[in-house]
Amino acid sequence: MSKLDFQVEKFLEQYTFKSEIDWKAISSFCKVELNLNFEYTPKISPDGLNTSSFFSWFENGFGSGDIAWHNGKLIMVGACNLIDAKIEATLNGDKIDTTRSSTKISELSKPVDDDIALFNRTLMINELQYTEKNQLVIERRIPHTNERVNFKKPGVRGIGVVRSVSKDEDRFELYCYHIYQTNETRYSMHEEIGPLSEYIFDTMTVTERRRLENRLNKLGKSWKDKLHRIEPVNPKAEIGKKYWYITDKMKMTSAIEEGKQTSNMRYFAGNYFLTQEDCLVNLGRINEMLRDFLAR
């Protein structure tokens, strides 16, 4: 049973490491296989985590937010390590009991997929969700416009930036997103992936922000948070090179990039094109939009 990024991070932040070699092996695996980079200096101690224990946990252990069987009941695990686990929620019929308690990992057993689906479905019906940051079960949250989020439903997990949300219409729209299971990345600025009610949302972590940007960069794109838009990785011309823009008289013209405020303002406004063809296409769209407006 492989682990999610946040589960690995929450697990490792609890531990010292048995040796420098163990730390290098574990951190190298996380970097190469999971794209996780740890920005802290590890502590080395004789009773610290070793490579064998980590990989045993990674393949078969319980991680934060997992579902498990405990004393004949389905539960949701919170913060946990190789020995102990917090119980954050328990399934009781069609209700979720959020009374917190603790147990030993040895007292837990693995559920089947149908058990996991049942627990998650009941969690959603009860308007609850698991928050990865605090490792707690909380009231289900609705994301807000321009928020960077991770989202999930049974069988689907992803990250993206919210464009709009309508609880009444049971829908939400994303500027861009990446789905882990399919490795799909989309960035049309108008992306819909299903009803709002099907998904659980949480705030995107720093690692997830880096991952989304990396995925976009591989496609030649970048998310500009302050401008709330997707744009090319290199959106501006080099100093001394030509670019095109649309004048206040709705004409296409060109200028030489000098790194001054004038060109920066055109770039911020989106009125900055690296090719004559792109400028002409957008000029045509603007003119068409204005004709439609006048006709209304």
Side-chain angles (χ1 to χ4, degrees):
M1 183 167 65
S2 60
K3 300 295 183 288
L4 300 171
D5 291 356
F6 90 93
Q7 292 178 317
V8 176
E9 291 176 327
K10 292 296 184 184
F11 178 76
L12 290 179
E13 70 184 16
Q14 307 174 74
Y15 282 99
T16 59
F17 298 87
K18 191 166 187 177
S19 70
E20 191 72 29
I21 293 176
D22 288 296
W23 162 248
K24 287 183 178 179
I26 293 169
S27 60
S28 177
F29 168 80
C30 291
K31 181 177 182 179
V32 174
E33 299 297 329
L34 308 178
N35 197 31
L36 286 176
N37 291 302
F38 299 106
E39 298 176 354
Y40 58 83
T41 302
K43 294 182 179 179
I44 307 300
S45 66
D47 59 346
L49 183 71
N50 61 38
T51 306
S52 176
S53 295
F54 169 76
F55 283 110
S56 177
W57 169 81
F58 186 82
E59 292 298 330
N60 301 300
F62 288 95
S64 176
D66 278 347
I67 310 302
W69 282 104
H70 178 258
N71 292 337
K73 289 184 176 293
L74 279 174
I75 64 150
M76 175 170 274
V77 174
C80 57
N81 52 42
L82 293 172
I83 306 298
D84 302 302
K86 300 288 187 183
I87 297 176
E88 297 300 334
T90 303
L91 180 64
N92 281 328
D94 60 354
K95 301 295 183 182
I96 296 290
D97 181 358
T98 56
T99 303
R100 303 180 70 204
S101 60
S102 300
T103 187
K104 297 293 182 183
I105 291 293
S106 58
E107 296 179 3
L108 303 179
S109 59
K110 298 291 176 65
V112 297
D113 290 344
D114 286 346
D115 297 329
I116 296 173
L118 172 63
F119 194 101
N120 286 327
R121 187 164 59 249
T122 308
L123 200 68
M124 185 175 297
I125 290 172
N126 283 268
E127 293 291 322
L128 298 171
Q129 70 176 76
Y130 185 73
T131 174
E132 298 170 358
K133 181 179 180 180
N134 299 316
Q135 303 182 89
L136 300 172
V137 172
I138 61 172
E139 182 178 345
R140 186 167 177 265
R141 68 189 294 273
I142 303 299
H144 56 75
T145 299
N146 297 327
E147 183 179 6
R148 288 175 286 190
V149 298
N150 60 59
F151 53 85
K152 61 184 176 182
K153 68 177 183 178
V156 177
R157 183 180 177 86
I159 47 180
V161 186
V162 178
R163 181 186 180 98
S164 63
V165 176
S166 175
K167 195 172 182 179
D168 291 339
E169 297 178 4
D170 193 24
R171 60 180 293 272
F172 70 105
E173 192 175 39
L174 299 162
Y175 292 109
C176 59
Y177 69 80
H178 173 71
I179 302 293
Y180 289 104
Q181 286 83 356
T182 61
N183 210 33
E184 178 185 23
T185 305
R186 298 185 67 87
Y187 50 86
S188 73
M189 297 283 287
H190 297 276
E191 300 289 350
E192 295 196 35
I193 56 174
L196 177 69
S197 59
E198 290 186 359
Y199 288 88
I200 293 296
F201 300 88
D202 207 346
T203 302
M204 195 185 293
T205 65
V206 173
T207 299
E208 288 170 332
R209 291 184 186 187
R210 189 181 299 120
R211 179 176 289 243
L212 179 60
E213 185 63 17
N214 286 341
R215 297 302 308 177
L216 290 169
N217 289 170
K218 289 181 179 179
L219 298 170
K221 301 296 181 180
S222 178
W223 168 251
K224 294 300 181 184
D225 197 53
K226 291 183 178 180
L227 299 175
H228 306 309
R229 72 189 187 198
I230 293 288
E231 61 182 43
V233 172
N234 298 306
K236 297 186 68 179
E238 296 178 7
I239 300 297
K241 298 293 185 179
K242 184 184 292 187
Y243 70 94
W244 286 259
Y245 67 96
I246 299 167
T247 70
D248 60 347
K249 296 180 176 61
M250 302 305 294
K251 300 293 183 181
M252 180 181 71
T253 190
S254 63
I256 300 300
E257 178 58 69
E258 297 177 336
K260 294 182 178 180
Q261 186 66 13
T262 301
S263 65
N264 284 336
M265 294 302 293
R266 289 172 184 148
Y267 157 68
F268 290 139
N271 186 16
Y272 189 111
F273 307 97
L274 296 178
T275 69
Q276 186 176 16
E277 291 75 16
D278 286 345
C279 189
L280 277 172
V281 167
N282 284 280
L283 177 58
R285 288 172 177 171
I286 293 171
N287 283 328
E288 185 68 24
M289 180 185 67
L290 291 174
R291 283 194 290 270
D292 290 344
F293 171 75
L294 291 170
R296 289 199 300 274

